[in-house]
Amino acid sequence: MDFVKLINCMRCGMCLPHCPTYKETFLETASPRGRVALVRKFQEGELVESEKFLEYVSLCLDCQACASACPCGVNAGELVAEFRCERKQEQGLSTMEDLILRKLVPHPDRLEAATAPLRLYQRTGLQKVVRSLGLLKVFPAALERMEGLLPKLPEAPLRQTINEVTPAVGEQKGTVGFFLGCVMSLIFSEASLATVELLSSLGYKVVTPKDQKCCGAPNMLGHDIDGLKEAARFNTDLFQSQQLDFVVTDCGGCGAELKKYGHHLDGEAAATAFSTKVRDISEILATEAGTLKEKLKPLPLKVTYHDPCHIAHCQGIRSQPRALINLIPGIDFRELPEADACCGSAGTYNIEKPEMSDRVLSRKVQNVQKTGADYLVTSNPGCLLQLKKALSEANPPVKVIHLTELLQMSLNA
């Protein structure tokens, strides 16, 4: 770990009002400033690795809102993640972590096979029976929670059905590679299909390599830096073998990780070149605003927007999604209070830390309800899962959709 990053924190406290866990607890140890101090004291040998110490450190959502607020550029979330990766390298992966992070996640075929029983579970009506009888209560609470987040799955993963090359409609103005995230392919395939169709309609030839692997974000969450580097090298080589103007993704988490490949691989030229080509879909569409606006049809909807942490804080993208929503004629856009505050999903945080996740989520739901919006738009699968469930149970319910789904609705209206 770079010790300079730790001592750069001047303890000004500018991060405090932006940290979700500090806002819920008002505890210094649950703040970015407190976590940096804890890690620093550990590195200096003044603290030992106690259960309490690990609990404080693990409470971080890694939303990186602190980094956006820090005048010195200290990224407490990233520092904590790096610290936990270093500890994991010393300890090694557990059998279960090795099974998930090395033998399942990097293999799309195995991931798809592993989720096939869930489709059967839904299509046979077994899910309705299980839920209506409350049978999940006899299983561990984490399993019940994961099942509750599961939305209706598509007929098949998009990776299996999408063409590897989607031609441009009309005159071709460029070629983009599409990075199809695992969760987007397995669960939110309609949103990713809308992404490809939007790009094609704007004159882009879209190349979607079917051999692409997970971006490595789960490895980062699991503090498996070696697995992350393996994923980075594979995807870099795969996409760099194509003649592409950009690499586009509609998954905030994937985009944030892909843009860091150069950093993860210590400045390797190929990885750095790859990362400079990566664009969130909103960045590409915003450059086509004039052309896109001519194609959009009125939608008389009240809409608000939630900034995913991986897009707002990790990639600095805030204005483009709002500008795109406001291109749609008839849209009544309502700004969401604390729009860039985490929703509490944070990878697997909502399963591992359900109590804190629910507290953070409750604040988000209350803010959404204040807007009076019918639709909440966002662009990260973790946020979609977390908010779809919570807002479907709100009164009145609010529909949650991906940005590209909203734009496609307008195109087809």
Side-chain angles (χ1 to χ4, degrees):
M1 174 172 286
D2 186 352
F3 194 74
V4 174
K5 293 179 181 176
L6 290 172
I7 62 175
N8 275 347
C9 176
M10 57 183 185
R11 303 182 59 76
C12 66
M14 295 288 284
C15 56
L16 300 184
H18 300 275
C19 174
T21 55
Y22 180 78
K23 285 192 289 189
E24 293 299 324
T25 63
F26 296 105
L27 292 172
E28 182 70 15
T29 48
S31 75
R33 183 174 66 180
R35 294 186 190 106
V36 170
L38 286 170
V39 173
R40 179 177 173 177
K41 290 297 179 188
F42 180 85
Q43 298 288 67
E44 291 173 342
E46 295 184 33
L47 278 179
V48 296
E49 189 177 284
S50 65
E51 191 174 322
K52 204 69 178 174
F53 170 80
L54 293 175
E55 182 184 329
Y56 289 143
V57 171
S58 67
L59 201 61
C60 177
L61 288 142
D62 195 18
C63 68
Q64 303 193 17
C66 52
S68 296
C70 180
C72 296
V74 176
N75 189 330
E78 199 169 81
L79 285 172
V80 168
E82 286 181 14
F83 167 75
R84 297 176 75 181
C85 280
E86 287 182 7
R87 304 300 296 156
K88 182 59 72 176
Q89 278 188 305
E90 293 171 11
Q91 298 163 356
L93 298 177
S94 68
T95 303
M96 183 57 73
E97 287 169 337
D98 183 69
L99 179 67
I100 294 173
L101 296 175
R102 298 292 181 83
K103 295 183 172 58
L104 179 62
V105 170
H107 304 280
D109 292 339
R110 296 179 192 173
L111 264 182
E112 290 164 3
T115 55
L118 293 175
R119 289 186 171 77
L120 195 62
Y121 172 64
Q122 290 188 335
R123 286 180 203 158
T124 57
L126 183 59
Q127 183 181 44
K128 288 182 180 176
V129 174
V130 167
R131 287 185 175 183
S132 62
L133 296 177
L135 296 179
L136 286 164
K137 295 195 182 302
V138 301
F139 293 97
L143 182 65
E144 182 181 11
R145 195 170 175 88
M146 285 191 285
E147 199 278 345
L149 289 169
L150 190 67
K152 184 180 178 184
L153 297 173
E155 291 291 317
L158 185 58
R159 192 183 74 94
Q160 294 179 355
T161 59
I162 194 170
N163 293 324
E164 198 151 64
V165 176
T166 304
V169 174
E171 185 179 350
Q172 182 177 324
K173 63 176 67 169
T175 302
V176 298
F178 182 49
F179 191 90
L180 177 60
C182 308
V183 183
M184 295 303 293
S185 174
L186 293 168
I187 298 178
F188 299 114
S189 59
E190 289 184 7
S192 284
L193 191 57
T195 298
V196 173
E197 289 176 357
L198 276 163
L199 288 167
S200 172
S201 73
L202 290 169
Y204 288 97
K205 174 183 169 184
V206 184
V207 179
T208 311
K210 294 204 175 192
D211 290 337
Q212 61 184 279
K213 292 185 176 180
C214 171
C215 65
N219 300 85
M220 191 66 189
L221 280 170
H223 322 303
D224 172 25
I225 195 69
D226 291 336
L228 170 60
K229 287 183 177 181
E230 191 175 317
R233 286 203 174 88
F234 181 88
N235 287 320
T236 294
D237 291 345
L238 180 65
F239 279 87
Q240 289 292 74
S241 68
Q242 305 274 348
Q243 295 295 317
L244 304 171
D245 298 306
F246 301 107
V247 176
V248 180
T249 180
D250 57 9
C251 168
C254 294
E257 216 57 66
L258 298 176
K259 288 182 178 181
K260 289 184 190 171
Y261 274 7
H263 167 73
H264 292 321
L265 296 180
D266 301 321
E268 288 181 18
T272 301
F274 169 84
S275 290
T276 59
K277 286 186 178 180
V278 176
R279 299 287 186 279
D280 180 70
I281 182 63
S282 65
E283 293 179 287
I284 292 290
L285 296 181
T287 65
E288 302 288 342
T291 307
L292 183 59
K293 187 173 183 179
E294 293 174 3
K295 296 174 179 286
L296 299 175
K297 302 179 186 68
L299 282 182
L301 302 175
K302 290 178 282 188
V303 174
T304 190
Y305 177 74
H306 161 68
D307 288 287
C309 302
H310 284 99
I311 290 183
H313 301 303
C314 298
Q315 302 184 59
I317 299 169
R318 296 170 186 271
S319 62
Q320 295 91 333
R322 290 171 172 78
L324 291 166
I325 293 170
N326 280 304
L327 286 178
I328 300 173
I331 280 281
D332 177 3
F333 179 72
R334 303 180 175 197
E335 189 60 50
L336 176 65
E338 301 182 22
D340 65 353
C342 182
C343 65
S345 174
T348 54
Y349 189 97
N350 53 355
I351 306 299
E352 296 168 354
K353 305 278 184 189
E355 183 185 346
M356 180 57 72
S357 173
D358 284 348
R359 290 169 69 173
V360 174
L361 175 62
S362 175
R363 190 182 183 101
K364 178 64 68 178
V365 169
Q366 289 171 25
N367 281 328
V368 172
Q369 289 178 317
K370 288 177 187 172
T371 67
D374 305 312
Y375 281 80
L376 174 76
V377 175
T378 192
S379 303
N380 190 57
C383 306
L384 286 165
L385 283 170
Q386 177 92 330
L387 293 168
K388 269 180 180 286
K389 179 177 188 300
L391 290 170
S392 68
E393 296 168 351
N395 186 21
V398 179
K399 293 182 180 177
V400 181
I401 59 175
H402 193 282
L403 174 64
T404 56
E405 290 179 292
L406 180 73
L407 293 169
Q408 190 186 49
M409 280 172 60
S410 175
L411 277 176
N412 299 333

